[in-house]
Amino acid sequence: MKLSTVILSFLLFAVVIATPPFLISKSAHANWLDPHFWMIFGFITGLTFVTIILIVIIGKVNAEIYTQTFLGATMIKLLASMFFCLFFLIKIKVNGVIFVANFFYVYFFNLAFEIYGLLCTLRNQKLK
């Protein structure tokens, strides 16, 4: 996959998953979002962007280690997200249910995008 295609599809993806929270924040149900939702969104989405770019670049350098790079980058992203939650919950008092729902909304959609990218890349390698 070309780097420009990955970046454009990621930006489209980020806009798509940011739209429902944006609409909720403007509606009467704004209390469904954590007051720091956009910080959570920015951290996890930025981490996913760096992960995706790293995976694509390493996949172009050495295609044989693409899957191992994907797994390693995903594990580092998981650990970074866990530390983010730890420090976030220690420093900021939040409603636990709202925070967990907001965090997993962002985290799992970003993870789904990574896995979709992996499947597309593996399918393209199989066709070659």
Side-chain angles (χ1 to χ4, degrees), residues 9-125:
S9 61
F10 182 78
L11 291 175
L12 177 65
F13 161 77
V15 168
V16 167
I17 68 165
T19 302
F22 178 75
L23 294 175
I24 288 173
S25 70
K26 301 298 180 190
S27 73
H29 302 291
N31 59 345
W32 289 359
L33 290 179
D34 188 78
H36 302 92
F37 174 80
W38 296 109
M39 183 172 62
I40 297 166
F41 180 84
F43 178 78
I44 294 176
T45 304
L47 195 58
T48 302
F49 181 72
V50 170
T51 302
I52 293 292
I53 296 300
L54 175 74
I55 290 170
V56 169
I57 290 171
I58 291 179
K60 290 204 181 292
V61 171
N62 188 354
E64 294 177 3
I65 62 168
Y66 179 83
T67 306
Q68 292 87 351
T69 304
F70 174 82
L71 292 174
T74 302
M75 185 56 67
I76 290 170
K77 179 184 163 202
L78 173 66
L79 292 172
S81 297
M82 288 171 43
F83 282 118
F84 174 77
C85 284
L86 176 68
F87 291 124
F88 190 86
L89 292 174
I90 288 173
K91 296 289 183 186
I92 301 171
K93 191 70 173 163
V94 295
N95 179 341
V97 174
I98 299 294
F99 174 77
V100 168
N102 291 184
F103 177 81
F104 283 117
Y105 169 79
V106 177
Y107 184 80
F108 283 131
F109 274 116
N110 278 285
L111 184 63
F113 181 80
E114 284 182 40
I115 292 171
Y116 174 74
L118 171 71
L119 292 175
C120 287
T121 302
L122 292 177
R123 183 178 57 225
N124 289 342
Q125 286 178 358

